[in-house]
Every structure is written in C-alpha cells, then in structure tokens.
C-alpha cells in the first residue's frame, strides 16, 4: 500500500473514524488498539508528507469536450489538494494502455479513466487491481473489467431520448400525417455510451418508423449500420454524402437527421452544405461544442445536448474524495450499468437540450462560454 487512504480502505469505517481522531491528537483517551497503532504508523507520515496522486486518462484532444473535461478535472482535483497526472491518448488504444500502465507504475493512487475502447483495458487494469488502485470510469463505462469501482457519467439513455423527442416535436410526429424522411447516425460502436444514445433515441423513433410515418430511405436503421468509427467528422461526412447521392439527389426532401453527437453532426452539416440543395433538415447533436453552437445559431444544426463538464468533473472529485477518505461514495444508480462483471455503482448527471431559444441562459449566463467565443 503506497498511501494513507489505501491502508484506510482496508479498514472498517469505525477504525477510520478512530484514526482520524488519533490524527487530530485531541486527548490521551484516544489510545489506539494494537492494530490501529500499526495502521496509523503507516498512515500518519503519508497523510502529512505525501499527496494523493490521481491519474486522469482522457481519450483525445481532438474533441473540445475532452479538453474541457481534462482541464476541469485537473483544476478541481488540484484545488482539492491532489496531485494530478493528466494524459491524452490521441484516440489510440495502445497509447492509452501504456499511459495507464505508467500511471500504475508511477505511483498513482487512484485512476479516473475515460476510455477510447471500453473493452480494451482489461489487462492494464488488472495491474491496477493487483496494486489495490481504485478505478473510476469517467463518462464511458470500461467493460469486462472487475477493477472498475465506480462510474460517473451523464444519463446516456436520456441523452438519446431527448434527441429523439426533439425530432418528434420538431416534426410534430404525434399529429402530422407525414411521411417524413429521416437518416440515422450514431458514434463509435466500441463506445458503450453509443448503445444508450442510439437505444434511447430509437425508443422514441422506432414506432414512427414501423408505422411508416418516418421513412429511412437508406434503409440503415441498426447501430452497426449507423455507426461512425471514432466519432469521426470525416467519416460522418462521407456517409452523409453517399446517402445524399444515392437517395436525395432526385429532389427528395430530407426532413431530419439523428446524430448522436456534435462531431458527427458537423460531418453531416458539411455534407449537407456541399451536396444537398433542399431546406436544412432537423439535425441533433450532443456536447454543445463551439462549432455546433455556431451552427445552431446559423440554422445549420437544430439542437445539441448540453452536458456541463464542470458538473461531471465536480462529481468525480467528490467520488475521488469519498474513496480516499473511506466515506460513502455518492452514487444515484445501481442498476443500469453492467460492465460484464456486474453492475458498477454509478452517478448519472442530468443532460439537457440546448437550441437557439435557450442557449443564452444555458451556455452564456452559466459562464460556460462567452458571447465572443460563439461569434
Ligand atoms: C461522450 C460524448 C462524446 C463522444 C465522442 C461519448 O462517449 O459521451 O459526449 O461526444 O463520446 O467523443
């Protein structure tokens, strides 16, 4: 055990309480038992002289949201007195694996990981488990690893449902006769979130597709068919261009496009601008990236989901602190996220939709962006 909290994690809560009293050194009555003396002998110098080091592994700097996530995490953790090892892996799985291995050998005491491929970290994380290092999955669930202690994210299914409902309302699907043409795009199928985003949206849209009120001219309706490798803007643009050429170049109207996030929506927008002549369709997104918010203001994207990364970072810092202090870790979902080794206790933050009508209040008034950033 390298640090104070790890020795504390192996003790009961009562012992932890006693230890913290001993640490305060209030009175001679707090005479520790033999075991406590042994533990506190390890604990005291560490608590005073060593800081707790948190390894924060982020997938890529390519997307604005992860840059913000990393910056927020670093700021919040340092403000809470932790040492931080923040790494970005350029969306490369091997790089992320080696960064995590370095965090383990580099004496990190706890890991916070936003994975690239949720299934690719099992071996690396076995090392964390062997070294008794707790792991918190950040935003994306890490699959098939029993080293994962907690998960913090936004309610991913709700993200999808909000996107589906936005389309439902914008086209007035409950009342209008239709039919309307729609195309469907989601993200990387190796990202566990994708299943929730796409699943949530399709829960709303499928009944309309089945009744014929929504028509998918490309015929692509499964996650595999609608996936965008690496959430790549270029891949989404290529797929949209192909769909336009094959199904909408005869003047057919495209009424809506479901996109699971902003990087994919940006590719769709690029394709629509370059090769679609009709009126811009309803187009969803997620993250409120600056490019997308600008597109929303220019009527080239209809909405995005606002996931305030400050909220998520603050939540994860609370979880880290609870793990370190051995107190109850705040979670609000113990059913939804099974990573293949069991349900991972999770904290789900609430996402909301943003569009041209409410962006000022959500994004500017809250201090997330300045007006200038959106010009
Ligand atoms: C995140 C989204 C993000 C996407 C692409 C997902 O796991 O939840 O916010 O847009 O990855 O990076």
């Amino acid at each position: 055990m390298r640090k104070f909290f790890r020795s504390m994690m192996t003790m009961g809560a009562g012992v932890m309480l006693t230890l913290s009293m001993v640490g305060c050194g209030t009175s001679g009555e707090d005479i520790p038992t033999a075991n406590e003396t042994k533990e506190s002998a390890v604990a005291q110098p560490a608590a005073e002289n060593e800081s707790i080091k948190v390894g924060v592994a982020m997938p890529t700097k390519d997307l604005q949201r992860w840059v913000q996530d990393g910056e927020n995490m670093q700021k919040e953790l340092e403000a809470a007195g932790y040492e931080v090892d923040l790494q970005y892996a350029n969306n490369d799985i091997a790089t992320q694996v080696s960064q995590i291995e370095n965090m383990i050998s580099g004496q990190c005491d706890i890991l916070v990981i936003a994975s690239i491929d949720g299934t690719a970290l099992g071996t690396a994380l076995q090392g964390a488990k062997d070294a008794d290092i707790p792991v918190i999955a950040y935003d994306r669930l890490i699959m098939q690893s029993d080293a994962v202690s907690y998960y913090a994210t936004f309610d991913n299914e709700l993200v999808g449902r909000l996107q589906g409902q936005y389309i439902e309302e914008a086209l007035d699907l409950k009342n209008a006769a239709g039919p309307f043409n729609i195309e469907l795009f989601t993200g990387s199928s190796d990202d566990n979130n994708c299943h929730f985003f796409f699943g949530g949206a399709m829960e709303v849209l499928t009944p309309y597709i089945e009744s014929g009120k929504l028509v998918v001219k490309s015929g692509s309706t499964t996650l595999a068919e609608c996936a965008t490798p690496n959430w790549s803007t270029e891949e989404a643009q290529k797929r949209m261009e192909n769909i336009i050429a094959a199904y909408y170049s005869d003047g057919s109207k495209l009424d809506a496009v479901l996109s699971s996030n902003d990087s994919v929506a940006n590719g769709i927008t690029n394709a629509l601008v370059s090769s679609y002549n009709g009126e811009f369709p309803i187009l969803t997104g997620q993250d409120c990236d600056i490019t997308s918010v600008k597109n929303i203001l220019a009527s080239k994207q209809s909405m995005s989901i606002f996931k305030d990364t400050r909220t998520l970072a603050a939540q994860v810092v609370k979880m880290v602190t609870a793990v370190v202090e051995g107190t109850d870790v705040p979670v609000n979902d113990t059913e939804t996220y099974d990573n293949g080794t069991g349900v991972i206790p999770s904290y789900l933050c609430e996402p909301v939709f943003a569009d041209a009508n409410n962006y000022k209040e959500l994004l500017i008034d809250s201090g997330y962006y300045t007006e200038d950033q959106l010009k």
Side-chain angles (χ1 to χ4, degrees), residues 54-58 70-71 73-74 84-88 103:
V54 185
V56 179
M58 289 284 148
E71 283 171 357
M73 282 297 298
Q74 178 150 31
V84 180
D85 179 4
L86 169 64
Q87 301 291 335
Y88 286 88
M103 287 173 182

Side-chain angles (χ1 to χ4, degrees), residues 62-74:
D62 285 355
L63 250 70
Q64 184 198 319
R65 77 147 289 182
W66 300 115
V67 177
Q68 281 171 320
D69 282 288
E71 283 171 357
N72 289 335
M73 282 297 298
Q74 178 150 31

Side-chain angles (χ1 to χ4, degrees), residues 63 65-66 139-140 191 193 197 231 261 286-287 307:
L63 250 70
R65 77 147 289 182
W66 300 115
D139 193 82
R140 297 171 171 174
D191 177 351
N193 287 353
F197 299 149
W231 297 90
N261 90 332
Q286 165 181 201
D287 292 335
K307 304 197 299 188

Side-chain angles (χ1 to χ4, degrees), residues 109 193 215 217 286 309:
D109 298 283
N193 287 353
V215 177
K217 288 191 93 185
Q286 165 181 201
T309 51

Side-chain angles (χ1 to χ4, degrees), residues 12 14 16 94 127 139 146 171 184 251 263 270 287 301 309 317 336 340 342 344:
M16 287 178 222
D139 193 82
D146 63 358
L171 296 179
L184 309 167
S263 59
N270 293 345
D287 292 335
Q301 183 173 324
T309 51
V317 174
T336 311
I344 306 298

Side-chain angles (χ1 to χ4, degrees), residues 148-164:
V148 182
S149 313
Y150 298 98
Y151 178 38
T153 189
F154 284 84
D155 184 335
N156 297 307
E157 224 239 324
L158 180 57
V159 167
R161 276 209 312 279
L162 290 172
Q163 293 167 335

